[in-house]
Amino acid sequence: MSTKKTTDSKSQSASLPPVSLADRQSFIASGYFPFAIIFLIAFVLYGNTVMFDYALDDSIVITSNSYTKEGNFGKIFSTDAFEGFFGGKRDLVEGGRYRPLSIATFAVEWSISPNNPSFSHFNNVVLYAICGMLLFVFLRMVFPEKDASKWWMGVPFLLTLLYLVHPIHTEVVANIKGRDELMALLFLLAGMIAALKYMDANRPLWLLAAFVSFFLGLMSKETPLPFVVILPITILFFRKAKASKVALASLPFLLATGAYLAIRFRVLGTDVGGKGSGTEILNDPFLFATSAQRTATVLETWGMYLVKLIAPIQFSHDYYFNQIPLTTFKDPIVLAAMAANIGLLGLGIWLAVKRNPIGFGILFYFISFSITSNLVVSIGTTMGERFVFVPSLGFVIALLFALKALAKSMKWSDKTLFYGLMIVIVVPFSLRTIVRNQAWKDNFTLFTTDAKTSPNSAKVRTAAGGVMIERTDEKGVSASEQNKLLRDAIVHLNAAVKIYPKHGNAWLLLGNAYHKLEDYNNSIISYQNTMNFRPLLWDAYKNAQITARKMKRFDLASGFYKVELERKTANKVAIGADFWFDRANNYEEWGQHADSAIWAYGVALQNDPKMAKAYGQMGRVYGMQLQDFDHAIEFGEKALAIDPKLDWVYENVGIANAMKSNFPGAIAAFQRGLQVSPNSAKLYLNLALTYQNMGDQANAGAAFAKAFELDPSLKR
């Protein structure tokens, strides 16, 4: 039977007709093949990101966002985008953010597969691929190919290809949080396609599709807003239609904008940015700038965007203070950037009037860029590559048609232009994209990479130092590696505080790095600077207290406790039991302050009557420092009544009984402790000593033997 089946299989295989060259050409020229190629290109460019971790602002919208992790869609759609992270509305960053739809997708992903960055990265790449396919459809509607069978040499595919491979998009695609930009573009393109479909087919259903698509885009991010203007320009540029029909086709975008703004106003009020954070230059780079300085600096960044679009060589996720310093109109770079942008805009208007597609591309770029340009509405940072994710489409439109004009003047064939684009732009841009993607592997890679390209940013230097300190706590990191990481972290953090001396978080991390290196003096100095510049950063007080106690400077630690108490009281910040417990510990270790220690433990217990360790420590102070063994036993037993697993308390109770010559009570306490912690060498040693004091040498010998077996160092 097996032989017959094999023979039949071979016979059937042999009977299949060979695929002809014509068939292959027909498949390549088919309507589906371009979309398959676009999908494949997206994964070739960004498939490496699927194995990456969460990075940068992913914590704000995913891993540390309570609404995302709880799947609280009601809160996601009714609050500021950052509220689930901050635990309440906070004015730590410029402007309000209402982007519920993109955050809702993170909540869905988390509910399906929690803490799975690969799942989210994969979805980002899929969304980028879909954006590419929709872009191809849109471009076919405005720049139809002369020969659809050679689509790969046509304007729509070449534009789509140039857009997909541009390295400036890596921040959006490789960073999961960039989902908001991806979804905004996806729905924006769908809306543009629907509006053009209405113009061509005159079916009102397309108007509804345009409204829904554009509204969903706005609910993902505010990026599509300028397309209320771009859509009618597009229709007028590429369609011959009456003004009334153009207005009707544009109406869905206007209605969607009105609906979105109404919802946004209800949720956020009038917070649209532009007023500054008011207190922190790291969140508002123009906080201390004059109007002239602000305008000049913004125009300089416009020039930098153009440079990055034309020559995408150097990238960074961070352009915060003071990577791009404030400048003036006396700066020749500003004048050059202003001239280039004004000249380009003027050229765009002139060419658009002549219905030249280069002009359309230029206008598309400037109008779509207006919302993130920093000129009208402050975006909270000097610049960012993600802000030209959509405008870059206008750039590639202008670029391709400029190259086509050049090719025509040089009498190059379409094939020559095609191969020239592949060699000069597509391949180098693709390689740069893949290489840049590697920086987004995780926070450590991103921050340490971009600290080199943005060395004057206080934020990224601080972030680089922070991840280096975190790396020292990971398993498998040798002592020498830890030492190098900490010293490199100190270099970054010292650079950060040199750039911005009031950077409290940098001072805090610097203190932590010095503490790990046991350079306690510099650690204390760093924590004191944190307290001066960020007096409400409570970790600085706690870390300073710990460091002072390491130095046996209990007086210094006591001073830090006092300042923390005063400032928390003044700012009406709750002072919990842990604060009082730690303060009592300091008094206890200080010596000669037993009464103060007992008082502080008592305050801790007032705040938390179930704090077993406070009872235990209070008992130890009574026994060891005040020789009040009755109270030592009393408070020790109270601790054990709350938490019977505190083996060190059994030891204290046993010793207190032994000091009272209550040897049976001591033995009972030690034996109770051994039931909880059978491998405690100290309990066996104290049990042995008690038996010895009772004259029971046999049991003493057995207990000594067990103690030495568990901890041979006790023999010394």
Side-chain angles (χ1 to χ4, degrees):
M1 288 181 67
S2 62
T3 303
K4 186 176 185 303
K5 284 184 178 179
T6 304
T7 304
D8 289 346
S9 176
K10 288 180 178 179
S11 175
Q12 291 171 6
S13 177
S15 67
L16 292 173
V19 179
S20 67
L21 177 61
D23 290 334
R24 288 197 293 270
Q25 290 175 337
S26 175
F27 174 69
I28 292 172
S30 70
Y32 297 108
F33 194 68
F35 296 99
I37 292 298
I38 290 169
F39 198 88
L40 179 63
I41 289 170
F43 270 88
V44 168
L45 293 169
Y46 291 99
N48 60 333
T49 65
V50 172
M51 300 309 295
F52 290 176
D53 203 348
Y54 295 111
L56 199 61
D57 290 343
D58 291 344
S59 61
I60 295 178
V61 294
I62 306 174
T63 57
S64 297
N65 189 302
S66 60
Y67 299 160
T68 298
K69 295 166 76 173
E70 294 166 4
N72 192 335
F73 294 100
K75 284 290 188 180
I76 288 171
F77 280 88
S78 63
T79 59
D80 185 282
F82 289 176
E83 184 170 313
F85 173 76
F86 288 123
K89 190 171 182 180
R90 298 281 298 277
D91 296 324
L92 294 182
V93 289
E94 175 71 11
R97 288 159 176 78
Y98 185 63
R99 302 157 187 176
L101 195 58
S102 52
I103 297 177
T105 66
F106 299 139
V108 171
E109 288 173 347
W110 193 275
S111 69
I112 295 171
S113 184
N115 202 30
N116 185 354
S118 292
F119 184 32
S120 297
H121 278 298
F122 176 82
N123 289 336
N124 264 27
V125 183
V126 169
L127 287 170
Y128 193 57
I130 295 172
C131 285
M133 291 188 286
L134 287 174
L135 177 59
F136 182 60
V137 172
F138 166 71
L139 292 170
R140 271 186 157 177
M141 297 180 76
V142 295
F143 302 115
E145 303 105 328
K146 294 178 181 178
D147 183 357
S149 65
K150 294 183 179 179
W151 52 265
W152 59 90
M153 292 175 60
V155 167
F157 182 76
L158 290 178
L159 283 174
T160 303
L161 183 61
L162 289 174
Y163 182 81
L164 287 175
V165 303
H166 205 295
I168 209 162
H169 299 160
T170 52
E171 178 176 358
V172 169
V173 187
N175 183 205
I176 298 171
K177 188 265 176 191
R179 175 81 54 85
D180 50 7
E181 293 280 6
L182 289 167
M183 291 178 63
L185 177 62
L186 187 154
F187 289 117
L188 163 62
L189 289 170
M192 295 285 283
I193 292 167
L196 290 173
K197 284 282 189 181
Y198 167 74
M199 293 298 300
D200 296 339
N202 207 32
R203 295 179 60 185
L205 192 62
W206 286 115
L207 294 177
L208 176 61
F211 170 83
V212 172
S213 298
F214 195 67
F215 178 73
L216 292 176
L218 291 169
M219 292 291 279
S220 301
K221 194 173 182 180
E222 306 87 343
T223 306
L225 282 172
F227 282 78
V228 171
V229 176
I230 292 175
L231 174 60
I233 291 175
T234 303
I235 296 172
L236 289 169
F237 200 95
F238 296 104
R239 296 291 187 274
K240 292 181 179 180
K242 294 180 179 179
S244 58
K245 191 171 183 181
V246 175
L248 186 58
S250 304
L251 184 60
F253 277 28
L254 283 169
L255 293 175
T257 300
Y260 167 75
L261 291 177
I263 296 171
R264 191 183 195 278
F265 176 78
R266 185 177 180 84
V267 173
L268 302 181
T270 58
D271 190 0
V272 295
K275 66 183 187 317
S277 65
T279 59
E280 180 56 77
I281 198 168
L282 294 177
N283 296 322
D284 181 4
F286 304 114
L287 182 63
F288 303 113
T290 64
S291 295
Q293 286 177 319
R294 186 184 192 282
T295 304
T297 307
V298 167
L299 288 172
E300 181 184 14
T301 64
W302 286 20
M304 295 174 67
Y305 281 122
L306 289 176
V307 170
K308 288 181 181 293
L309 286 166
I310 296 167
I313 298 170
Q314 192 173 74
F315 294 105
S316 174
H317 76 280
D318 187 297
Y319 296 94
Y320 282 91
F321 182 84
N322 197 27
Q323 180 59 28
I324 302 174
L326 293 175
T327 187
T328 68
F329 284 100
K330 294 179 181 180
D331 187 340
I333 295 177
V334 173
L335 297 176
M338 183 170 64
N341 279 277
I342 293 174
L344 197 59
L345 180 58
L347 177 65
I349 295 171
W350 182 69
L351 290 174
V353 171
K354 293 178 173 291
R355 303 183 74 83
N356 186 312
I358 297 176
F360 174 77
I362 293 172
L363 290 184
F364 185 105
Y365 171 79
F366 278 106
I367 296 172
S368 61
F369 178 53
S370 62
I371 194 170
T372 55
S373 66
N374 246 336
L375 193 62
V376 179
V377 177
S378 180
I379 56 176
T381 182
T382 315
M383 65 179 290
E385 288 143 22
R386 62 191 178 279
F387 299 134
V388 288
F389 179 65
V390 173
S392 62
L393 174 57
F395 168 79
V396 298
I397 290 172
L399 175 65
L400 179 61
F401 280 98
L403 291 174
K404 284 180 72 67
L406 176 64
K408 185 177 181 180
S409 68
M410 300 296 292
K411 297 182 179 180
W412 295 341
S413 67
D414 288 345
K415 187 177 288 186
T416 301
L417 177 61
F418 176 80
Y419 287 122
L421 287 172
M422 295 302 110
I423 295 169
V424 178
I425 297 179
V426 173
V427 172
F429 277 29
S430 299
L431 293 174
R432 185 69 187 96
T433 294
I434 295 169
V435 170
R436 173 57 185 168
N437 283 344
Q438 298 298 325
W440 288 90
K441 179 182 177 183
D442 52 30
N443 277 336
F444 185 89
T445 308
L446 181 65
F447 297 152
T448 55
T449 298
D450 288 1
K452 297 172 185 175
T453 53
S454 292
N456 296 317
S457 165
K459 269 196 172 183
V460 77
R461 296 301 289 264
T462 301
V467 292
M468 287 177 170
I469 296 171
E470 289 174 5
R471 179 64 59 94
T472 63
D473 293 326
E474 294 181 5
K475 292 181 179 179
V477 180
S478 67
S480 61
E481 290 173 326
Q482 288 178 348
N483 188 278
K484 184 179 186 306
L485 283 166
L486 290 170
R487 296 196 180 282
D488 288 346
I490 287 170
V491 170
H492 282 295
L493 294 166
N494 272 320
V497 297
K498 184 177 181 180
I499 296 165
Y500 182 43
K502 295 182 179 181
H503 195 351
N505 195 49
W507 282 115
L508 175 65
L509 291 171
L510 194 57
N512 294 348
Y514 280 126
H515 180 96
K516 281 177 169 282
L517 287 172
E518 299 183 1
D519 184 348
Y520 297 133
N521 286 324
N522 277 317
S523 181
I524 289 290
I525 292 170
S526 300
Y527 292 139
Q528 287 173 323
N529 280 323
T530 307
M531 296 175 208
N532 290 335
F533 299 127
R534 288 281 302 278
L536 304 186
L537 193 54
W538 306 119
D539 283 348
Y541 299 87
K542 185 174 182 63
N543 294 356
Q545 293 152 12
I546 293 170
T547 304
R549 288 166 64 179
K550 282 272 189 180
M551 300 168 69
K552 305 299 182 185
R553 288 290 308 280
F554 302 111
D555 57 329
L556 184 61
S558 183
F560 290 136
Y561 284 113
K562 183 180 179 181
V563 173
E564 181 182 0
L565 179 62
E566 290 173 350
R567 290 182 177 178
K568 280 187 172 179
T569 301
N571 288 278
K572 298 180 180 179
V573 176
I575 303 167
D578 287 335
F579 168 84
W580 291 105
F581 180 84
D582 290 342
R583 191 176 189 186
N585 265 180
N586 186 63
Y587 281 128
E588 182 182 350
E589 292 176 14
W590 197 349
Q592 306 302 314
H593 290 81
D595 291 338
S596 295
I598 288 172
W599 163 75
Y601 283 130
V603 178
L605 287 165
Q606 289 174 14
N607 283 271
D608 182 4
K610 296 294 184 181
M611 183 180 268
K613 63 181 181 179
Y615 279 115
Q617 292 290 136
M618 191 183 295
R620 187 165 69 177
V621 173
Y622 272 116
M624 295 182 66
Q625 295 191 23
L626 297 177
Q627 306 297 302
D628 184 344
F629 303 118
D630 288 329
H631 278 104
I633 295 168
E634 177 189 347
F635 286 104
E637 292 294 352
K638 284 184 177 181
L640 294 172
I642 297 170
D643 186 357
K645 295 182 180 180
L646 297 177
D647 58 351
W648 57 273
V649 178
Y650 291 105
E651 182 181 353
N652 292 343
V653 171
I655 292 172
N657 274 289
M659 295 300 291
K660 290 181 63 181
S661 299
N662 181 8
F663 299 126
I667 289 171
F670 296 139
Q671 288 176 336
R672 286 161 59 201
L674 287 168
Q675 290 176 359
V676 173
S677 184
N679 293 318
S680 172
K682 281 189 175 182
L683 284 170
Y684 274 111
L685 180 63
N686 282 299
L687 180 63
L689 292 170
T690 305
Y691 276 127
Q692 191 176 60
N693 287 332
M694 292 174 66
D696 187 344
Q697 300 303 326
N699 281 320
F704 274 127
K706 186 64 177 179
F708 298 152
E709 176 189 338
L710 291 168
D711 185 359
S713 66
L714 293 176
K715 291 181 179 180
R716 306 190 191 99

